[in-house]
Amino acid sequence: MSSASLSAHLHDIDLLLKSGVLNRQSNAIVLSQPGPGSAKEELGFFIRDLFTRLQIGGIEFKKKALDSLLQILNEDEKSSILVAKEGDMRYLIHLLDNNHHSSVREQAAVAVSLLVSSSDSSRKCVFEEGGLGPLLRLLETGSMYLKEKAAIAIEAITSDPENSWAVSAYGGIPVLVETCRSGSPLAQTHAAGAVKNVSAIDEIRVSLAEEGIVPVLVQLLTSGNSFAQEKASNCLWILASAGEDFRVSILQEGGLQSLLNLLDESSNPDTLEHVLRSIYILSRSSSTIRILSSSISFLLQLCDAIKNGTIVIQQISASILCNLSMSDFQKRSISSCMGSLVKMMMNESSKPVGLQESSAQALISLLTAKTNRKEIVRDEKSILRLVQMLDPKNESSVVNKKYPVSVVSAIVAGSSQSCRNKIMSAGGYSHLQKLAEMDVPGINTILTNPDKEFQFGCGSSSTASGGRYW
């Protein structure tokens, strides 16, 4: 017993000697915490001393050392890099084990959570020192408080794709799924975020499916808090994009209706974006298209999203609209978004990619209704924008000419002479002629019309002025 006690003391003295504390301040083992603006060297020395005290003291000594560590991490996020560099991460992770006092484990869990959430380098250090395994054990068997801190840390670690694979290696997939199913609201939120992170890996998606992740995520859409709903909808989009089996499973579990309900209830732009992405992927199914096409409330939501949503939400909504099979009545009911679709085509940055194409296709779909063609020519701003996009001299425009040409073609197809004259009076005819000389596809079908009754002129029935038939 004496020998064991002596060995423990020798171990602690060895740590003190290696830390340099005795050489720096012979009169005090416990150093004062450096104040704000202290030199990096001074703070680094204090961190090394702190971790020394963490290892050699009893419970109260460890708790005081952890208090100091948490104070450093809370005061300045940048300090996490120095803590990871100067501190003993392996020992800090060791404090998460069951054989340590509960209060020490809780403080250590908070410290690890702060470290992995603060910087890439500190997150990498915790992972490389084996932090993921103990965190998953905490998530499975710890108290509610420990589970919440562990879930936060695991989500942060798995945000790095290079770390995500290890969740499966540690047997963490069932733990994450169960936390999403029955954890506290905070633990569910971050577990769903971790599931979203790891679902990008093919092999892990298979394990997630086997553990029944789809019904759990669908349930979170209705029962989770707003943050959990956002992450669950994002994860469903990733899974639905991965293959037909996931799409079938989501539909069978009532995922489409849950997504539609969330679309109606949520005002969070990120949540709406993920919900719409999921609906767009699910609309590859003919049964989904029938459901969406028959829902006036959903069509009105799409219309509102196109008019008032972020640019990404506008594009996704336009893409969904292109997939639907609507009656003329339904197209008339959402005609108010046509002006927004024209404006989307003029997006100066042409970002996101495909925005102009999706908005043009959605607009052309709506213009198959005769009343919509008449309505859009009454919208002077939309006509002026279309004509501006047609202008070959408009070098500042990044719009591909085929999109406004196809929209104009849809407007004049079967329209009255007044519709044609509206575009002409706005200056569209000269632009179309120049584009015809440039061999832009689709121009000839606009400038020529088998019905000789309609000519491109100010109500004139003659082509003597050189005007061409529509």
Side-chain angles (χ1 to χ4, degrees):
M1 290 173 63
S2 298
S3 176
S5 177
L6 182 60
S7 295
H9 286 304
L10 287 171
H11 175 265
D12 291 349
I13 292 173
D14 186 51
L15 285 173
L16 283 171
L17 291 172
K18 288 180 179 179
S19 72
V21 173
L22 297 180
N23 296 331
R24 173 76 176 261
Q25 288 187 331
S26 58
N27 295 327
I29 292 179
V30 179
L31 302 180
S32 298
Q33 182 167 332
S38 300
K40 185 177 179 180
E41 292 76 13
E42 186 177 357
L43 181 58
F45 183 78
F46 178 78
I47 291 171
R48 292 194 299 274
D49 169 61
L50 184 155
F51 273 87
T52 300
R53 288 183 279 129
L54 193 60
Q55 296 180 60
I56 66 174
I59 292 177
E60 292 303 318
F61 214 47
K62 292 181 188 297
K63 288 171 65 176
K64 289 181 180 179
L66 286 168
D67 283 337
S68 297
L69 177 60
L70 292 176
Q71 187 174 344
I72 292 174
L73 293 174
N74 281 313
E75 285 180 352
D76 184 7
E77 289 187 356
K78 295 180 181 179
S79 63
S80 63
I81 300 173
L82 193 59
V83 170
K85 179 181 178 181
E86 300 291 347
D88 188 339
M89 291 298 101
R90 187 179 295 274
Y91 187 79
L92 180 62
I93 293 167
H94 171 67
L95 294 179
L96 300 176
D97 291 345
N98 287 331
N99 57 334
H100 289 284
H101 193 274
S102 60
S103 59
V104 171
R105 293 177 73 202
E106 288 180 358
Q107 286 179 295
V110 175
V112 171
S113 177
L114 289 171
L115 282 166
V116 297
S117 302
S118 298
S119 69
D120 292 340
S121 59
S122 56
R123 178 167 56 249
K124 181 179 180 182
C125 182
V126 171
F127 175 73
E128 290 180 346
E129 292 295 340
L132 184 57
L135 288 169
L136 286 167
R137 288 195 294 273
L138 281 185
L139 187 61
E140 183 177 20
T141 62
S143 64
M144 184 177 73
Y145 182 81
L146 284 172
K147 286 181 177 182
E148 290 174 348
K149 295 302 178 183
I152 293 171
I154 293 168
E155 181 183 17
I157 289 176
T158 55
S159 64
D160 185 343
E162 295 182 0
N163 300 341
S164 295
W165 62 268
V167 172
S168 180
Y170 281 112
I173 299 301
V175 179
L176 287 176
V177 174
E178 182 56 36
T179 304
C180 289
R181 180 184 290 113
S182 59
S184 69
L186 182 60
Q188 282 183 321
T189 298
H190 292 286
V195 169
K196 182 263 295 181
N197 292 339
V198 302
S199 63
I201 301 175
D202 292 341
E203 296 80 0
I204 291 184
R205 282 198 297 268
V206 174
S207 299
L208 287 170
E210 292 173 350
E211 295 296 330
I213 189 60
V214 170
V216 172
L217 292 173
V218 171
Q219 181 61 33
L220 276 180
L221 293 180
T222 57
S223 64
N225 60 41
S226 59
F227 299 107
Q229 289 173 334
E230 176 196 341
K231 293 174 182 180
S233 58
N234 192 353
C235 191
L236 283 173
W237 165 55
I238 295 172
L239 296 176
S241 303
E244 180 66 19
D245 289 343
F246 277 112
R247 291 193 287 273
V248 170
S249 178
I250 293 170
L251 292 173
Q252 289 177 342
E253 295 295 337
L256 179 60
Q257 189 57 54
S258 296
L259 288 166
L260 291 173
N261 292 339
L262 185 55
L263 183 65
D264 186 45
E265 297 167 0
S266 178
S267 58
N268 183 326
D270 292 331
T271 301
L272 295 177
E273 178 184 331
H274 301 319
V275 168
L276 287 168
R277 287 187 186 278
S278 299
I279 292 174
Y280 173 70
I281 296 297
L282 293 175
S283 67
R284 294 177 182 179
S285 163
S286 57
S287 61
T288 301
I289 291 177
R290 286 194 298 271
I291 294 171
L292 298 178
S293 300
S294 63
S295 173
I296 284 292
S297 62
F298 174 68
L299 295 177
L300 293 174
Q301 286 173 319
L302 281 186
C303 179
D304 181 68
I306 290 172
K307 292 191 293 184
N308 303 312
T310 64
I311 193 66
V312 175
I313 287 177
Q314 286 180 316
Q315 181 187 23
I316 303 168
S317 301
S319 300
I320 295 173
L321 203 59
C322 297
N323 288 346
L324 303 184
S325 177
M326 297 176 286
S327 65
D328 283 357
F329 170 78
Q330 292 171 317
K331 292 175 182 178
R332 289 195 299 271
S333 69
I334 59 173
S335 61
S336 62
C337 71
M338 292 192 297
S340 298
L341 289 170
V342 173
K343 191 175 180 180
M344 287 163 60
M345 291 172 59
M346 289 192 70
N347 186 275
E348 288 293 330
S349 65
S350 71
K351 298 292 184 180
V353 175
L355 175 65
Q356 294 167 353
E357 180 179 5
S358 58
S359 54
Q361 289 179 350
L363 187 56
I364 291 169
S365 173
L366 295 179
L367 289 172
T368 56
K370 185 176 181 179
T371 54
N372 284 355
R373 296 196 293 271
K374 292 181 178 180
E375 182 173 336
I376 198 169
V377 296
R378 288 194 294 267
D379 182 356
E380 293 184 2
K381 286 185 178 180
S382 293
I383 293 301
L384 288 174
R385 284 178 175 136
L386 283 170
V387 170
Q388 183 181 346
M389 285 186 277
L390 289 171
D391 187 356
K393 294 181 181 179
N394 189 0
E395 297 179 356
S396 64
S397 175
V398 295
V399 179
N400 189 320
K401 298 302 180 187
K402 71 178 181 180
Y403 298 128
V405 167
S406 62
V407 171
V408 170
S409 178
I411 292 174
V412 303
S415 295
S416 64
Q417 182 69 28
S418 61
C419 290
R420 297 178 173 84
N421 287 343
K422 272 281 190 178
I423 297 174
M424 178 205 66
S425 62
Y429 182 48
S430 60
H431 299 334
L432 289 168
Q433 283 186 314
K434 292 175 183 178
L435 292 176
E437 294 170 2
M438 296 165 61
D439 294 326
V440 174
I443 293 294
N444 290 333
T445 59
I446 301 176
L447 294 177
T448 58
N449 184 28
D451 186 354
K452 299 296 192 294
E453 178 184 351
F454 296 117
Q455 298 174 352
F456 203 4
C458 298
S460 171
S461 58
S462 169
T463 57
S465 63
R468 299 175 66 178
Y469 285 112
W470 278 84

